[in-house]
Structures are given as structure tokens and as C-alpha cells.
Amino acid sequence: MLLAAASVLALDAAGAQDQAGAQSSTALEAIVIDGAGGETGDGPVEGYVAKKSLTGTKTDTPIAKTPQSISVVAKDQIEDQHAGSVAEALRYTPGVFTEYRGASNLRDELFVRGFYYVPKYLDGLFLGSDLSYAKIDPYLLERVELISGPASVLYGQANPGGIVNMVSKKPTDTPLTEVELSVGTDKYVSAAFDISRSFNDDFGYRIAAKGLSRDLQEDYAKNRSLAIAPSFTWSPEEGTSLTILGGYQNEPDAGYRNFLDAAGTVTPIPGYGFVPRDFFVSDPDFERSERKQAWIGYEFEHEFNENLTFRQNARYHHVDWLHHTLVYGSAGPDPVTGNNTIVSRSASGGTDTWNQFTIDNQVEAKFSTGAAEHTLLGGVDFQYRTRDYQWGRASGPSIDLADPRYGDFDFDSLVLATTDLQDLTARQTGVYLQDQVEIGALNLLAGLRYDRADTKIDDRLGTGDQSYDDGAFTWRAGALYAFDNGLSPYVSYATSFEPALYMPPAGASAFSPTTAEQFEIGIKYAPEGSGLLLTAAYYDLKQEDVVAGAWDPGLGQMVYSQVGKIHNRGIELSARAEVTNNLSLIAGYSYIDSVVKESVNTSEVDKMPARIPQHQASLWATYRADQGALEGLTVGGGVRYIGTSWGDGGNSFKVGAVTLFDAMASYDFGAKSSDLQGLSLQVNVKNIGDERYVASCASAYACFYGEGRSIVATLKKQW
């Protein structure tokens, strides 16, 4: 970013010199600007390397001075890779296993540091985790951030693997207009626009919107969506601002999810082979997948003086989810061929409605005590969530893998017997205090929090209500020393707390809260004024009273139990660099050793949990030509390696490793003609080799194919 800024200024200076007519022989020096100066922790990022983040500390802190692993995926990277979801945007982030359900990505589900259902936040406020179907289109976002490791001190109940924070697009200081149209394989068509204006430095607005229609990997499965996010900022005086953030997403075809057996995906079915990736287990006459979301919130900030600031952020979010599907049961022999191609199916469906209100009040104070510079943050946050969950199941018609036929069953006569009828109400209040202390090159961080969480599950079927009333202290501490050469070694310790929101099996007692602790040691390298951020981290993470779900084919539903204790240790290496004015690079590697130390299922003890690749690696680079015959052309490519994982908790079979390749090329027509300024064409190809691979298996009866090759071309105009 620094190099790019210096280059632009040097070119502008040279141009002015040429226009002056060569009367002066004085050489103009390039002016060097600190690239981080204009960046804020929740604002736009130039290129791929973010300098600051609000997510790690809730204060505007340089990433290089934060004693914890923080990864930021900027809008430029999201656009270059044409990420279709937040999970896709994190594909090249070490320590993250994205899309472990393969092409079925209904909820942006992620593994981070070996733990799944990592919670999602939007603008620092809780959005959803394991139960909620909340999902935000990445076109509405400015950046996607990941905190790796426990984050309960600032965010309350949270998965110990980390949290994902999505930062919304907000009004810009300079006018912005962007429209784009995309077409691609599988009948992919999308259109989007992004408009921002400001008036008299007091008021600004921005509207980002996108419509999408495409066929999914499986026959008959589709994805159609419309998303729009308006925002307004009012700054009546210096140091005071109010930003209203709203959004609406309507997905009449939200996507598709189903399970396949390991037999037919990981290994061939004798006499038949592998199940095709486009095999549709359900039936188009029965399948329905609909989601609607709406949200409205605000961010208020008032600076009393340069040392004292008050902030209040709040949001209400609503999710409606409706799903009907036929689920893959078990494969039996065909009476003619004898091959196991006749698959039983069970019908299931219902609705899941969430209403959620969150608010976070913060006071930030800056002061000195001798040589120590303090940034003290105190806050009180509150979450209120309700869920209305209705689900039913029934036996469905079987289907022949070798000769699938659809539409010959009267689904109107199919009656789903209600198996789940629950109302959930969850409240959480947290009080937290954090102090960031800077003593010369030494940066210290300490935080303490107390949470009170109240959860009630009303089982309207009468099988037994559950009530949880949990309280917990969580804390963290860290230290980082920033040497003048850009090296910053650090060490940290953090704990987390997470109430269980699942209904235990009939007759079982309520689940205990899940707790975790992590020790992390690492080093960051970010030389002053460079577009470079290198990070190496080792972590030791222990979680107790883990709740895990497993599909019970006999009951036709998920059954939950508390696993006990999991011990994860790992290494993560990350590199983000603006190598030159023209070359950007991202690289990452992660290794994890995950072991179940205690479990109600003794066959899983001392085994590695299913679905966790022990090794992952990735590399992505883009090069932009700015002179010569290729001026205006940008080319990029990446490689993703997903290592071997176990297919079940007993470690009885493995899911093989896979290497995937992606590529992009774009051309800026403005490089050849000023009349075409701002017009560009970009082509993205994902999984170039169209590799058929299994993303993961939770058991021998729950495997997911990864997504095949896709090609999308995008025509964009900016002014």
C-alpha cells in the first residue's frame, strides 16, 4: 500500500514536470506517506494487507501490535477471487476449514482451529452460530475478519476456535458509483450496484444491492437471492456520528443440503461405482428451501474530548427459514442387479424463525501513568434471542441411484409427523473491562469479563422443558514487544464460555456450559511503512463439556451429547504482502493435532475428531501490468491444499486429500481509452481441474461432495 501510494505521487509529480516543459532540471522526490494513516479498523483497505482492526480489541489498534492471531480479508481480495460467500472469502486463510459441507453452504459454516460452528458477527454484534441460518452476501461487506482463539472477554459466549466478524459497507467520504453484471456456468447470472454520496460533510448515504440466480451442483437445485443494504451517516458536529445500518435478503431458493454415504463417495459401490456429483437425493416436487432476513441497527459515537469516547452499537435481526427435503437414508440391493443402488429416503421439513436484539455500550479512555500509555475500555452488552422451531418427519419413497426418477410420487398425501416443536428464549448480559498498555515498544493487554446467560427451551410436544441459568468469568492477558525492525514476538492466554442451546435426549439432564482455555505464542513481522504482514503462531487449546451432534438413522434426527474434553494444538503461518506496486501475494499453512481426551463414546477417546484436515496450505497471487502492450491486464491464480481427514469419530476410515486450483484475469479498458475509464472485465475460474472430491465426512452416513469447476465473467463500471 505504501509503495503504491509513493508510486502514484511520483507519477503525478513527473507528469506535472513534463507539463511545465522541461525548463527546470530539479529532480522531484517521491513523497512517502504512512499507508496506515488513513485506514481505520472498520474501514476500507487498500490492497490485500490491512493495518488495523477493531475486532481484536474493539479499539482502533494496529494488527502488528495485537497479541493474538487476526486475519483480515479485504474487499479487494473478495472481488479478485469473486467470493460467493463469507466461507469462500476465507478459503485462503490459514487455520480455517471452509465449506466442510462441500457444495452445500447454507450457513457459512466453518472449522477454525479444529472447532466447528464458529459464530458470526456483523459489525461487532452477534449474528448467528450453530443453530441460526443467518447468512450475509459478501457483496454487502467491506471486509471479513477472523479472530483465532477464544474471544469471550469482548464478545461473551463464543466458540473457542474463534469468531468471524463481517464489516458492512458504509458511506464514503468521496462519491462512489459501481454497477456490475456477471454471467457464468450453471446458468449463473447476477447484477449488483453500489452507490455512496455525501452532503456538506454532515450527511452521507450508501446503498449496496445484488441479485443472483444460478443452478447448483445437484440436478434441480437452485440458488436465487436478492440482497440490499442501505446505510446512512449523520455527523452533526466534530467527534459525533450516527450511522444507521439496515439490510434485507430474500432467497426463494436458498440452496440445497443433503447427506451421502461414504460408500459411493469415498469408496465406490461394488458393481456400480461412485455416486455422481449431480445426483439429487430429494425430489423437485417436494424440495423447498426459502430464507428471508431483515435487520436494522446503528452505530453511535461521541468524543467528549480527545481522551474520552462513548460508543453504542445495536441491531435487531430477523431470520425466517423454511425447508422441505428428502434425506438420503441407507442403500440396499437392487432386486435385479444385486448392487446397492436402491436408497431409502425420509421426508423432513418445517420452519425455523429467529428474532434477535443485541446492544453493546462502550466507554474508551486514554491516559498516561508515568511512561505507560493506557487505552482503557469498559463495556456492557446484552443479547436477547428467540427461536420458534417446528419440524416434522415421515417415511419417503426410495430412489434408484442407477436410474433416478422424479415426480412419480404424490407428495401432497405425505404428512410430516411433528418431531420437534420448541420455543427457545436466550438472554445474555456481559460486563467487561480491558486495558491496553504501551510502554515504549512493550504492548500489554489484559481483560476481564463476567457473563450471565439465561436460556429456556419450551418443548411444546410435552417431552420435557429445559432451563439453563449460567454465569461465568472469562479473562485474557497478552504481551507483545515491537522491535524497530518490524519483528513483534507475542504471548497470550485466553478463556471462553458458551452455554449449550441444544435439547438433550429425552430423560437426560441439561447440558453444562462449554468452557475452554488457550495459550498462544507467536511472532509478527510488519516493517514500518511496508505493505507486508507475516505471522507465525503456535497454540494449545483445550475445551471441556463439548456438545456434539450425530445423525441417528433409526430416529431420523440429530442426537446431541456432551463429548467431554478436546485438546487441540497447532501451528499457523500466514503471509500477506504488497510485494511491489504490481504484485500482491497471500500464503498460508496450518497444522493441527486434535485429540478427544474424554467422551461418552469410549471408541472416540484418544482419537482425532472427524472432518478436521491435519494439514492445509494455500497460495494466491495477482499481478497487474501498468505499462506496455499489456497495460490494464491483471492476472491471478491460487492453489489450495486440503489434507487428509478422518471420516468418523472412531477413525475407521479416511477422507483423501485434494489440491485445487483457481485463477482470474481482468482487463481495465480505461488503460487504452479515457472514454472507457472505470470499465473492466474479469473472469474467474474455481477448481480449474474440476476435481471430484469429498470435502468431509462426519460419519459413514454423512459425507459431502466438494464443488466442481465454475467459470464466471463480470463486467463492471465504476465512476
Side-chain angles (χ1 to χ4, degrees):
M1 182 162 55
L2 167 66
L3 293 173
S7 175
V8 169
L9 289 170
L11 289 173
D12 287 346
Q17 188 179 38
D18 290 342
Q19 292 173 6
Q23 281 105 358
S24 172
S25 59
T26 303
L28 296 179
E29 296 181 357
I31 301 173
V32 177
I33 297 175
D34 183 359
E39 182 185 323
T40 60
D42 61 347
V45 178
E46 276 192 57
Y48 288 179
V49 187
K51 303 290 186 180
K52 294 182 177 181
S53 170
L54 282 177
T55 303
T57 60
K58 288 190 177 180
T59 63
D60 204 16
T61 304
I63 296 173
K65 292 187 176 182
T66 305
Q68 189 171 10
S69 292
I70 300 175
S71 301
V72 177
V73 179
K75 181 166 66 73
D76 283 356
Q77 180 185 339
I78 294 173
E79 292 178 348
D80 285 352
Q81 295 176 347
H82 198 263
S85 66
V86 170
E88 275 194 39
L90 291 164
R91 279 177 170 175
Y92 285 85
T93 304
V96 184
F97 181 27
T98 66
E99 305 153 289
Y100 64 87
R101 292 185 185 267
S104 168
N105 181 28
L106 288 174
R107 296 191 286 186
D108 281 330
E109 296 172 50
L110 306 166
F111 268 85
V112 177
R113 293 191 170 178
F115 295 101
Y116 59 99
Y117 290 139
V118 170
K120 299 179 291 292
Y121 285 70
L122 179 62
D123 300 314
L125 297 173
F126 184 78
L127 181 72
S129 57
D130 47 357
L131 297 177
S132 170
Y133 276 86
K135 182 180 179 182
I136 304 297
D137 191 300
Y139 188 78
L140 309 181
L141 305 175
E142 191 67 57
R143 53 163 80 183
V144 175
E145 303 191 340
L146 171 71
I147 297 180
S148 297
S152 283
V153 167
L154 292 179
Y155 296 97
Q157 56 190 62
N159 184 295
I163 69 167
V164 172
N165 183 42
M166 300 167 283
V167 179
S168 300
K169 289 180 175 178
K170 299 171 187 175
T172 57
D173 294 332
T174 56
L176 166 69
T177 305
E178 172 184 289
V179 293
E180 67 175 44
L181 175 67
S182 299
V183 295
T185 53
D186 298 318
K187 299 180 181 179
Y188 185 106
V189 179
S190 72
F193 69 83
D194 186 5
I195 300 172
S196 182
R197 295 288 188 274
S198 60
F199 306 97
N200 302 323
D201 297 327
D202 295 335
F203 177 79
Y205 73 89
R206 188 169 185 175
I207 302 176
K210 182 179 179 180
L212 168 69
S213 176
R214 63 168 179 153
D215 290 347
L216 299 180
Q217 183 162 274
E218 296 83 1
D219 289 338
Y220 305 106
K222 299 180 184 296
N223 181 202
R224 291 186 297 146
S225 66
L226 174 65
I228 184 168
S231 57
F232 308 88
T233 294
W234 178 46
S235 302
E237 60 184 26
E238 186 176 356
T240 301
S241 65
L242 174 66
T243 300
I244 307 296
L245 297 160
Y248 174 75
Q249 285 189 195
N250 185 3
E251 298 166 90
D253 292 301
Y256 173 73
R257 164 163 303 165
N258 224 301
F259 304 87
L260 297 173
D261 284 355
T265 56
V266 178
T267 58
I269 297 173
Y272 172 72
F274 290 100
V275 176
R277 280 185 305 192
D278 60 3
F279 173 67
F280 187 64
V281 179
S282 190
D283 193 289
D285 287 347
F286 186 71
E287 183 74 21
R288 292 180 66 187
S289 177
E290 302 173 8
R291 171 169 47 199
K292 291 181 181 179
Q293 298 177 86
W295 63 94
I296 184 70
Y298 64 85
E299 296 178 347
F300 174 76
E301 179 175 292
H302 176 68
E303 296 180 4
F304 294 98
N305 52 53
E306 61 182 9
N307 298 319
L308 185 64
T309 303
F310 171 75
R311 303 185 192 94
Q312 185 180 77
N313 305 326
R315 185 178 60 249
Y316 168 77
H317 188 264
H318 173 82
V319 183
D320 260 335
W321 169 250
L322 183 150
H323 194 198
H324 285 175
T325 191
L326 295 174
V327 181
Y328 195 111
S330 59
D334 184 294
V336 177
T337 66
N339 299 327
N340 286 332
T341 61
I342 305 299
V343 177
S344 64
R345 296 182 294 180
S346 60
S348 68
T351 58
D352 199 353
T353 301
W354 283 87
N355 290 286
Q356 178 173 284
F357 174 74
T358 57
I359 188 169
D360 185 11
N361 303 278
Q362 307 169 20
V363 176
E364 178 183 321
K366 296 183 178 181
F367 58 92
S368 301
T369 55
E373 300 290 336
H374 296 260
T375 300
L376 186 67
L377 180 73
V380 178
D381 58 29
F382 174 74
Q383 295 180 23
Y384 177 77
R385 291 181 283 166
T386 64
R387 183 193 192 195
D388 183 355
Y389 179 55
Q390 304 180 48
W391 212 256
R393 295 174 175 83
S395 297
S398 60
I399 191 170
D400 188 351
L401 289 172
D403 183 23
R405 298 187 180 185
Y406 305 97
D408 56 0
F409 183 84
D410 181 14
F411 287 100
D412 291 336
S413 64
L414 190 66
V415 178
L416 299 177
T418 302
T419 56
D420 298 273
L421 191 61
Q422 300 174 8
D423 287 332
L424 178 147
T425 302
R427 297 177 178 85
Q428 177 191 299
T429 302
V431 180
Y432 58 90
L433 184 67
Q434 173 186 269
D435 194 10
Q436 296 170 258
V437 185
E438 191 168 351
I439 309 172
L442 179 63
N443 294 264
L444 303 175
L445 173 68
L448 177 68
R449 179 186 180 101
Y450 179 74
D451 277 297
R452 196 72 200 174
D454 175 32
T455 305
K456 292 183 173 61
I457 302 176
D458 178 14
D459 189 339
R460 287 181 281 158
L461 289 180
T463 57
D465 298 339
Q466 294 289 345
S467 179
Y468 307 80
D469 190 8
D470 303 310
F473 282 100
T474 52
W475 64 280
R476 72 168 175 173
L480 178 148
Y481 194 88
F483 289 97
D484 291 340
N485 62 3
L487 285 173
S488 301
Y490 70 90
V491 61
S492 66
Y493 178 85
T495 64
S496 70
F497 158 78
E498 190 175 16
L501 301 184
Y502 298 98
M503 177 69 78
S509 58
F511 293 136
S512 302
T514 300
T515 59
E517 59 179 353
Q518 175 188 269
F519 169 78
E520 180 176 331
I521 185 170
I523 188 168
K524 300 181 181 184
Y525 181 59
E528 184 73 21
S530 74
L532 179 65
L533 177 61
L534 308 180
T535 305
Y538 167 80
Y539 62 88
D540 190 307
L541 177 54
K542 299 175 183 177
Q543 186 186 39
E544 296 189 5
D545 293 318
V546 185
V547 178
W551 180 258
D552 188 322
L555 296 176
Q557 65 184 51
M558 297 290 290
V559 176
Y560 295 94
S561 61
Q562 290 206 280
V563 173
K565 184 176 181 179
I566 296 177
H567 188 187
N568 292 353
R569 292 172 291 183
I571 297 172
E572 293 170 359
L573 307 177
S574 173
R576 288 182 169 270
E578 301 295 340
V579 183
T580 68
N581 294 344
N582 310 87
L583 180 62
S584 302
L585 182 144
I586 303 168
Y589 168 77
S590 61
Y591 166 81
I592 184 171
D593 176 26
S594 179
V595 180
V596 176
K597 306 301 292 185
E598 298 175 5
S599 174
V600 293
N601 187 345
T602 56
S603 66
E604 296 179 348
V605 176
D606 294 330
K607 303 290 179 62
M608 188 169 184
R611 302 185 291 189
I612 303 175
Q614 194 158 47
H615 298 271
Q616 288 192 95
S618 62
L619 174 66
W620 172 271
T622 58
Y623 179 81
R624 178 178 57 85
D626 58 5
Q627 59 185 347
L630 297 179
E631 182 182 2
L633 178 66
T634 300
V635 293
V639 56
R640 296 175 280 136
Y641 173 78
I642 304 172
T644 302
S645 62
W646 289 107
D648 62 358
N651 294 176
S652 63
F653 71 97
K654 289 184 176 181
V655 176
V658 65
T659 301
L660 305 170
F661 296 91
D662 308 314
M664 65 80 69
S666 69
Y667 186 75
D668 181 1
F669 294 97
K672 296 301 181 184
S673 172
S674 58
D675 293 336
L676 300 177
Q677 193 70 34
L679 182 66
S680 64
L681 176 65
Q682 178 173 313
V683 178
N684 287 84
V685 186
K686 303 171 188 176
N687 189 1
I688 296 173
D690 198 27
E691 292 287 335
R692 186 195 70 84
Y693 70 100
V694 176
S696 74
C697 293
S699 70
Y701 310 104
C703 297
F704 301 90
Y705 272 132
E707 191 164 10
R709 178 172 53 228
S710 67
I711 305 173
V712 176
T714 301
L715 185 65
K716 180 187 297 184
K717 173 66 175 177
Q718 293 177 317
W719 67 93

